[in-house]
Amino acid sequence: MKNRDPGRASSAPPRREGENSDQAVVVEDGRAKSNEPVSSAVAEPEATTLRHEPHEPPRQPLPAKLFEKRTKVHNKRIDGPFRRFKWLVMLVTLAIYYGTPWIRWDRGPYAPDQAVLVDLANRRFYMFGIEIWPHEFYYVAGLLIMAALGLFLVTSAVGRAWCGYACPQTVWTDLFQHVDRFVDGDRNARIKLDAAPLGLRKIVKRAFKYTIYLVIAFWTGGAWIMYFADAPTLVRDFWVGEAAPAAYITVGILTLTTFTLGGFMREQVCIYMCPWPRIQTAMMDEKSLLVTYKDWRGEPRGSVKKAKKNPEKFGDCIDCLQCVAVCPTGIDIREGPQVGCITCALCIDACDKVMAEVGRPRGLIDYATLEDCEKEANGEVARPPWKALLRPRTIAYFLIWGSVGLAMLFALGVRSHVGLSVSPDRNPPYILMSDGSVRNSYTLKLRNMESRPRAMEIALQGLPGAVMWTDTSGRDAAARTQVKTVPADQVLVVRAYVIAPEGVDTQEFSFRVTSRDEQRESAETEARFDTPGGSE
Amino acid sequence: MTNKRIDEPTGTETVGHEWDGIEELDTPMPRWWLWTLYLTIIWGVIYVILYPAWPLVDRATEGVLGWSSRGELAEEMSVVDQARVSMREELSRIPIERLPENSELFTQAVAGGRSAFQVHCSQCHGSGAAGSKTLGYPNLNDDDWLWGGDLKAIEYTLVNGIRAPGVEDTRTSLMPPFAGVFEPAQIDGLVNHVLSLSGKATSSSSGAQLYQDNCSICHGPAGEGDRELGAPRLNDAIWLYGSSREQVREQILNPKMGRMPHWIGRLDPVTIKMLSAYVWSLGGGEEFVEVSENPAVEVDEEP
């Protein structure tokens, strides 16, 4: 490489390590030429002649550190409409999380009375009036699809509102930050305390704070397991040491994760660990509502004093850094939309307050779409933010989301509450009886999804001349139909022996189960009758 | 190692080797990695002290907890056995012919019998209890019983076995070999008559006569068999050793007679009860009839 072009090598000054010459400019034949690539789109015609032979690119020293050390966020207290909304969302979401397992829902004597219950032991999922069995797990898949579409909808309509208000990481981080404020005081006091040497006062304060952290974390872990068992019973069992080991392990793990994720990692989870901000970044466009600093209005920044002296020269931003101080993720919103911004809008509250104090219009930082910002900057009248919600994409998302929900509700409404599965014995496939007739054995599973016992009639469809009996009825009771009582909310396993007269060929037939009540729900399942002789 | 130097752009020391101009940075391990390594070392030391760890010539170090996988299994088994105690006790008290009335106990007995069957019986009768025609093991699913198909009869067979050597009460019967007794033509007639009992052939008067003289004492004039003697029915569709002419002829000349070991002494009475319930539940079980036609024959004796 070095000796590829001796002519050039002679004219270009050889570079030595540590030489601090300007690598962007190379002197060749007495003319300075750029070492940077020049796009043909912008270069003047003579640029071709001005360009020199390619050189080794200038060596860029690596940044000394690839790891950016975290600066701890001490966000300042703020009050305003968005903060109050955040309080409300926090209250509602925490109340839902901690309170839901305690809601009761009467399902009669045969089913648990907890409104929301994931009964892993009995493999049932109860949610108010809905009961889901394991084979209906597609409803849960449907719920997850709805959750994903809901996030798309919210993202395309109001940007990262999920991140800013409802995400558990945000809610618990917010909660823990309030604990910080309660124990250590507001921003300045906390910064001071952090910098202070470890003394008795600091130790006591830290111990007190971490105790509160732990209590919240434990309560959070404890609330989680309530969804998987009868809550009052589980609380009693938990404290007398009779709960399942899984309960203690789960509480332990969730206590630990809540303690670390909410107490210490906080915004780092959003910035470094969570995939959702990246996905959302890809989903947003110039029509998405997001928290925006209106730089066309704010720049250039200057203090109130400077602006008074020279009102023409400065924008509305007085560079008071209040927006940075209140930010729970510690970013500067004036640098534009960024992955660290969870759009909690606390900076809007802070900025509006300052603007009111200095007598300038509110909304220097505001919810706006980039498109509207551009319009506004050009002097046009901006639409009110709620109009940004109604556009084809959000409507399409809403329609898809709604139709998935409606389809699931419809499927839930018309689903059958009886079921039948048939598994024929394969060993032996058929049994020759002493009178020459042929017997096949089947294991039937009768499913009763009502929370009351139901009498069900099993009937043979097809297979002329055949009769059946069951393991409990005996051969004397052999007939074309049998009646069984299936316990409430259970599957009854029935052994059915079907016997067909001599000479019957191997053939398909089916079992039909019908509930003997006013609903008369039924289900039919195909089976095969094997014989030694004929084929299909 | 003397060439160690600080790499200027990164500020990291190099390892001191150089390969054709390439040097390697001596980047320290990430802290979390190092701590995990230390933790695993501590964990390893504690584990070696507490649990069996070092293999010796014929055993291993025992560890202070005294844990062993065999011990754990024994403990788990005893827990399971404890849980079954009440069921087994109840099962040992109930007379077997009353078992089907207690459906919960019966279900448990059938389940227990199923697993015992897989261990002790499936070698001959097959895992599906379908037996084997070529080897002469009877199918237990059907409704044809050589020695009786009610619960008591099945239990008796299990307890005492069939032609079990050295067992006094074993079920036993003898089909005499007729090799060299008949002329070939006589044999053909006899085979025809036997097959005609179930409609598989047409009989002749000579064959019928031979049957009456030699076979009907045990197998009955119409081939209905005799369970008290263990003489199989000949007028049904089930043929333990096959229904072709050759197979029937072979069975007359050199009869095969199956054996079944007795199980009392090898299995406890409760397990035998469970096995009886399982075999009975396979679909061919017969109702127990209280009064025996011939009171002299006590097949229902409790072992």
Side-chain angles (χ1 to χ4, degrees), chain A residues 160-198:
Chain A
R160 291 175 61 182
W162 165 259
C163 295
Y165 301 97
C167 172
Q169 178 62 27
T170 293
V171 170
W172 263 270
T173 299
D174 202 19
L175 186 65
F176 279 95
Q177 281 170 342
H178 286 303
V179 173
D180 287 357
R181 201 164 289 140
F182 169 71
V183 177
D184 296 340
D186 207 6
R187 178 177 161 88
N188 292 341
R190 294 212 300 276
I191 294 175
K192 222 175 181 177
L193 187 70
D194 259 16
L198 199 66

Short mmCIF file of all heavy atoms in Angstrom, two decimals, chain A residues 160-198:
data_model
loop_
_atom_site.label_atom_id
_atom_site.label_comp_id
_atom_site.label_asym_id
_atom_site.label_seq_id
_atom_site.Cartn_x
_atom_site.Cartn_y
_atom_site.Cartn_z
N ARG A 160 -45.01 8.05 22.69
CA ARG A 160 -44.62 7.07 23.71
C ARG A 160 -45.39 7.28 25.01
O ARG A 160 -44.81 7.28 26.09
CB ARG A 160 -43.11 7.14 23.93
CG ARG A 160 -42.35 6.63 22.74
CD ARG A 160 -40.88 6.82 22.92
NE ARG A 160 -40.39 6.08 24.09
CZ ARG A 160 -39.13 6.12 24.49
NH1 ARG A 160 -38.26 6.84 23.84
NH2 ARG A 160 -38.75 5.44 25.55
N ALA A 161 -46.70 7.44 24.90
CA ALA A 161 -47.50 7.66 26.10
C ALA A 161 -47.41 6.47 27.04
O ALA A 161 -47.44 6.61 28.26
CB ALA A 161 -48.95 7.92 25.73
N TRP A 162 -47.32 5.27 26.46
CA TRP A 162 -47.18 4.07 27.31
C TRP A 162 -45.94 4.21 28.19
O TRP A 162 -45.99 4.01 29.40
CB TRP A 162 -47.09 2.83 26.42
CG TRP A 162 -46.60 1.63 27.14
CD1 TRP A 162 -45.34 1.11 27.11
CD2 TRP A 162 -47.34 0.78 28.03
NE1 TRP A 162 -45.26 0.01 27.91
CE2 TRP A 162 -46.48 -0.22 28.49
CE3 TRP A 162 -48.66 0.79 28.48
CZ2 TRP A 162 -46.87 -1.21 29.38
CZ3 TRP A 162 -49.06 -0.22 29.36
CH2 TRP A 162 -48.17 -1.19 29.81
N CYS A 163 -44.81 4.59 27.55
CA CYS A 163 -43.58 4.73 28.31
C CYS A 163 -43.72 5.81 29.38
O CYS A 163 -43.22 5.67 30.49
CB CYS A 163 -42.43 5.14 27.38
SG CYS A 163 -41.99 3.89 26.19
N GLY A 164 -44.39 6.88 29.04
CA GLY A 164 -44.42 8.03 29.94
C GLY A 164 -45.33 7.85 31.13
O GLY A 164 -45.09 8.44 32.19
N TYR A 165 -46.40 7.07 30.97
CA TYR A 165 -47.39 7.04 32.04
C TYR A 165 -47.68 5.65 32.58
O TYR A 165 -47.79 5.47 33.78
CB TYR A 165 -48.70 7.65 31.55
CG TYR A 165 -48.56 9.08 31.10
CD1 TYR A 165 -48.39 9.38 29.76
CD2 TYR A 165 -48.56 10.11 32.03
CE1 TYR A 165 -48.23 10.69 29.34
CE2 TYR A 165 -48.40 11.42 31.63
CZ TYR A 165 -48.23 11.71 30.28
OH TYR A 165 -48.07 13.00 29.89
N ALA A 166 -47.83 4.68 31.70
CA ALA A 166 -48.43 3.41 32.15
C ALA A 166 -47.45 2.26 32.30
O ALA A 166 -47.78 1.27 32.92
CB ALA A 166 -49.53 3.01 31.18
N CYS A 167 -46.26 2.38 31.73
CA CYS A 167 -45.33 1.25 31.81
C CYS A 167 -44.97 0.98 33.28
O CYS A 167 -44.68 1.91 34.03
CB CYS A 167 -44.07 1.55 31.01
SG CYS A 167 -42.78 0.31 31.25
N PRO A 168 -44.98 -0.29 33.70
CA PRO A 168 -44.64 -0.59 35.10
C PRO A 168 -43.29 0.00 35.51
O PRO A 168 -43.15 0.50 36.62
CB PRO A 168 -44.60 -2.11 35.13
CG PRO A 168 -45.48 -2.54 34.01
CD PRO A 168 -45.39 -1.49 32.97
N GLN A 169 -42.32 -0.05 34.61
CA GLN A 169 -41.01 0.49 34.96
C GLN A 169 -41.13 1.98 35.29
O GLN A 169 -40.56 2.47 36.25
CB GLN A 169 -40.04 0.26 33.79
CG GLN A 169 -38.64 0.81 33.99
CD GLN A 169 -37.92 0.17 35.17
OE1 GLN A 169 -38.20 -0.96 35.55
NE2 GLN A 169 -37.03 0.93 35.79
N THR A 170 -41.93 2.71 34.50
CA THR A 170 -42.13 4.13 34.75
C THR A 170 -42.87 4.35 36.06
O THR A 170 -42.50 5.19 36.87
CB THR A 170 -42.92 4.74 33.57
OG1 THR A 170 -42.11 4.68 32.42
CG2 THR A 170 -43.31 6.15 33.87
N VAL A 171 -43.93 3.58 36.26
CA VAL A 171 -44.76 3.79 37.44
C VAL A 171 -43.95 3.53 38.71
O VAL A 171 -43.95 4.32 39.65
CB VAL A 171 -46.00 2.87 37.38
CG1 VAL A 171 -46.74 2.90 38.70
CG2 VAL A 171 -46.92 3.31 36.27
N TRP A 172 -43.21 2.39 38.70
CA TRP A 172 -42.46 2.07 39.93
C TRP A 172 -41.27 3.00 40.11
O TRP A 172 -40.93 3.38 41.22
CB TRP A 172 -42.04 0.61 39.92
CG TRP A 172 -42.98 -0.26 40.69
CD1 TRP A 172 -42.90 -0.56 42.02
CD2 TRP A 172 -44.16 -0.91 40.21
NE1 TRP A 172 -43.97 -1.35 42.39
CE2 TRP A 172 -44.74 -1.59 41.31
CE3 TRP A 172 -44.79 -0.98 38.98
CZ2 TRP A 172 -45.92 -2.33 41.20
CZ3 TRP A 172 -45.95 -1.71 38.86
CH2 TRP A 172 -46.51 -2.37 39.97
N THR A 173 -40.61 3.39 38.99
CA THR A 173 -39.53 4.37 39.11
C THR A 173 -40.06 5.65 39.73
O THR A 173 -39.46 6.22 40.65
CB THR A 173 -38.93 4.66 37.72
OG1 THR A 173 -38.39 3.46 37.20
CG2 THR A 173 -37.84 5.69 37.80
N ASP A 174 -41.22 6.09 39.25
CA ASP A 174 -41.85 7.28 39.78
C ASP A 174 -42.10 7.13 41.28
O ASP A 174 -41.78 8.02 42.09
CB ASP A 174 -43.17 7.51 39.03
CG ASP A 174 -43.62 8.95 39.12
OD1 ASP A 174 -42.78 9.81 39.41
OD2 ASP A 174 -44.82 9.21 38.90
N LEU A 175 -42.63 5.98 41.65
CA LEU A 175 -42.93 5.71 43.05
C LEU A 175 -41.65 5.79 43.89
O LEU A 175 -41.62 6.44 44.94
CB LEU A 175 -43.56 4.32 43.16
CG LEU A 175 -44.08 3.90 44.53
CD1 LEU A 175 -45.24 4.79 44.94
CD2 LEU A 175 -44.55 2.45 44.49
N PHE A 176 -40.60 5.16 43.40
CA PHE A 176 -39.35 5.16 44.16
C PHE A 176 -38.74 6.56 44.21
O PHE A 176 -38.11 6.94 45.20
CB PHE A 176 -38.36 4.16 43.55
CG PHE A 176 -38.60 2.73 43.98
CD1 PHE A 176 -39.35 1.88 43.20
CD2 PHE A 176 -38.08 2.26 45.18
CE1 PHE A 176 -39.59 0.58 43.61
CE2 PHE A 176 -38.32 0.95 45.57
CZ PHE A 176 -39.08 0.11 44.80
N GLN A 177 -38.91 7.34 43.12
CA GLN A 177 -38.38 8.70 43.15
C GLN A 177 -39.12 9.55 44.18
O GLN A 177 -38.53 10.43 44.81
CB GLN A 177 -38.46 9.32 41.75
CG GLN A 177 -37.33 8.82 40.86
CD GLN A 177 -37.49 9.21 39.41
OE1 GLN A 177 -38.58 9.57 38.97
NE2 GLN A 177 -36.42 9.13 38.65
N HIS A 178 -40.41 9.24 44.36
CA HIS A 178 -41.14 9.97 45.41
C HIS A 178 -40.64 9.56 46.79
O HIS A 178 -40.60 10.39 47.70
CB HIS A 178 -42.64 9.71 45.28
CG HIS A 178 -43.25 10.43 44.12
ND1 HIS A 178 -43.16 11.79 43.97
CD2 HIS A 178 -43.93 9.99 43.04
CE1 HIS A 178 -43.76 12.15 42.86
NE2 HIS A 178 -44.23 11.07 42.27
N VAL A 179 -40.26 8.30 46.91
CA VAL A 179 -39.68 7.87 48.20
C VAL A 179 -38.39 8.62 48.45
O VAL A 179 -38.16 9.13 49.56
CB VAL A 179 -39.44 6.34 48.18
CG1 VAL A 179 -38.69 5.91 49.43
CG2 VAL A 179 -40.75 5.59 48.07
N ASP A 180 -37.53 8.75 47.41
CA ASP A 180 -36.29 9.54 47.54
C ASP A 180 -36.60 10.93 48.06
O ASP A 180 -35.97 11.43 48.98
CB ASP A 180 -35.62 9.68 46.17
CG ASP A 180 -34.98 8.38 45.72
OD1 ASP A 180 -35.03 7.41 46.50
OD2 ASP A 180 -34.47 8.34 44.59
N ARG A 181 -37.60 11.54 47.42
CA ARG A 181 -37.96 12.92 47.76
C ARG A 181 -38.47 12.98 49.20
O ARG A 181 -38.13 13.89 49.94
CB ARG A 181 -39.04 13.39 46.78
CG ARG A 181 -39.16 14.88 46.67
CD ARG A 181 -39.94 15.23 45.43
NE ARG A 181 -39.19 14.97 44.22
CZ ARG A 181 -39.72 14.44 43.11
NH1 ARG A 181 -41.00 14.12 43.09
NH2 ARG A 181 -38.98 14.24 42.06
N PHE A 182 -39.24 11.98 49.58
CA PHE A 182 -39.83 11.96 50.92
C PHE A 182 -38.73 11.81 51.98
O PHE A 182 -38.74 12.50 53.01
CB PHE A 182 -40.84 10.82 51.01
CG PHE A 182 -41.32 10.52 52.40
CD1 PHE A 182 -42.17 11.42 53.06
CD2 PHE A 182 -40.92 9.38 53.07
CE1 PHE A 182 -42.61 11.16 54.33
CE2 PHE A 182 -41.35 9.11 54.35
CZ PHE A 182 -42.20 10.00 54.98
N VAL A 183 -37.75 10.96 51.70
CA VAL A 183 -36.73 10.70 52.73
C VAL A 183 -35.62 11.74 52.68
O VAL A 183 -35.23 12.30 53.71
CB VAL A 183 -36.13 9.29 52.53
CG1 VAL A 183 -35.02 9.03 53.54
CG2 VAL A 183 -37.21 8.24 52.68
N ASP A 184 -35.11 12.02 51.46
CA ASP A 184 -33.89 12.83 51.36
C ASP A 184 -34.16 14.28 50.99
O ASP A 184 -33.24 15.09 51.02
CB ASP A 184 -32.97 12.23 50.29
CG ASP A 184 -32.49 10.84 50.66
OD1 ASP A 184 -32.55 10.52 51.86
OD2 ASP A 184 -32.08 10.09 49.77
N GLY A 185 -35.38 14.60 50.65
CA GLY A 185 -35.65 15.96 50.22
C GLY A 185 -35.61 16.07 48.71
O GLY A 185 -35.42 15.09 48.00
N ASP A 186 -35.77 17.31 48.22
CA ASP A 186 -35.85 17.53 46.78
C ASP A 186 -34.45 17.52 46.16
O ASP A 186 -33.45 17.30 46.84
CB ASP A 186 -36.60 18.83 46.50
CG ASP A 186 -37.28 18.79 45.14
OD1 ASP A 186 -37.23 17.71 44.49
OD2 ASP A 186 -37.84 19.80 44.71
N ARG A 187 -34.40 17.80 44.89
CA ARG A 187 -33.20 17.65 44.05
C ARG A 187 -31.90 18.12 44.72
O ARG A 187 -30.97 17.34 44.87
CB ARG A 187 -33.43 18.43 42.76
CG ARG A 187 -32.26 18.42 41.79
CD ARG A 187 -32.67 19.16 40.53
NE ARG A 187 -31.51 19.59 39.75
CZ ARG A 187 -30.90 18.84 38.82
NH1 ARG A 187 -31.36 17.63 38.58
NH2 ARG A 187 -29.88 19.29 38.14
N ASN A 188 -31.88 19.37 45.18
CA ASN A 188 -30.63 19.91 45.69
C ASN A 188 -30.19 19.17 46.95
O ASN A 188 -29.01 18.86 47.12
CB ASN A 188 -30.77 21.40 45.99
CG ASN A 188 -30.95 22.18 44.70
OD1 ASN A 188 -30.62 21.68 43.63
ND2 ASN A 188 -31.51 23.38 44.81
N ALA A 189 -31.15 18.87 47.81
CA ALA A 189 -30.81 18.16 49.05
C ALA A 189 -30.26 16.78 48.72
O ALA A 189 -29.32 16.30 49.37
CB ALA A 189 -32.06 18.03 49.93
N ARG A 190 -30.80 16.15 47.69
CA ARG A 190 -30.35 14.80 47.34
C ARG A 190 -28.95 14.83 46.75
O ARG A 190 -28.12 13.97 47.05
CB ARG A 190 -31.33 14.15 46.36
CG ARG A 190 -32.70 13.90 46.94
CD ARG A 190 -33.35 12.67 46.35
NE ARG A 190 -33.54 12.75 44.91
CZ ARG A 190 -34.58 13.35 44.32
NH1 ARG A 190 -35.51 13.93 45.06
NH2 ARG A 190 -34.67 13.37 43.02
N ILE A 191 -28.70 15.83 45.89
CA ILE A 191 -27.36 15.95 45.31
C ILE A 191 -26.34 16.16 46.42
O ILE A 191 -25.27 15.54 46.45
CB ILE A 191 -27.31 17.13 44.30
CG1 ILE A 191 -28.20 16.80 43.11
CG2 ILE A 191 -25.89 17.42 43.88
CD1 ILE A 191 -28.34 17.92 42.11
N LYS A 192 -26.71 17.01 47.37
CA LYS A 192 -25.83 17.31 48.49
C LYS A 192 -25.56 16.05 49.31
O LYS A 192 -24.42 15.75 49.66
CB LYS A 192 -26.52 18.35 49.37
CG LYS A 192 -25.60 19.47 49.88
CD LYS A 192 -26.51 20.42 50.61
CE LYS A 192 -25.87 21.62 51.18
NZ LYS A 192 -26.93 22.45 51.78
N LEU A 193 -26.64 15.34 49.59
CA LEU A 193 -26.51 14.14 50.43
C LEU A 193 -25.65 13.09 49.73
O LEU A 193 -24.84 12.41 50.37
CB LEU A 193 -27.90 13.56 50.75
CG LEU A 193 -27.90 12.41 51.75
CD1 LEU A 193 -27.54 12.91 53.14
CD2 LEU A 193 -29.22 11.70 51.77
N ASP A 194 -25.83 12.97 48.39
CA ASP A 194 -25.02 12.01 47.65
C ASP A 194 -23.54 12.32 47.76
O ASP A 194 -22.71 11.42 47.89
CB ASP A 194 -25.43 12.04 46.16
CG ASP A 194 -26.35 10.89 45.83
OD1 ASP A 194 -26.88 10.29 46.79
OD2 ASP A 194 -26.53 10.59 44.64
N ALA A 195 -23.24 13.64 47.69
CA ALA A 195 -21.84 14.04 47.72
C ALA A 195 -21.27 13.99 49.13
O ALA A 195 -20.04 13.92 49.31
CB ALA A 195 -21.71 15.47 47.16
N ALA A 196 -22.14 14.01 50.12
CA ALA A 196 -21.67 14.07 51.51
C ALA A 196 -20.95 12.78 51.87
O ALA A 196 -21.26 11.71 51.36
CB ALA A 196 -22.85 14.28 52.44
N PRO A 197 -19.95 12.88 52.77
CA PRO A 197 -19.28 11.65 53.22
C PRO A 197 -20.23 10.80 54.06
O PRO A 197 -21.21 11.30 54.61
CB PRO A 197 -18.11 12.18 54.06
CG PRO A 197 -18.54 13.53 54.50
CD PRO A 197 -19.41 14.09 53.41
N LEU A 198 -19.92 9.54 54.14
CA LEU A 198 -20.78 8.59 54.85
C LEU A 198 -20.70 8.86 56.36
O LEU A 198 -19.71 8.55 57.01
CB LEU A 198 -20.33 7.16 54.55
CG LEU A 198 -21.36 6.08 54.82
CD1 LEU A 198 -22.54 6.24 53.88
CD2 LEU A 198 -20.74 4.71 54.66
#
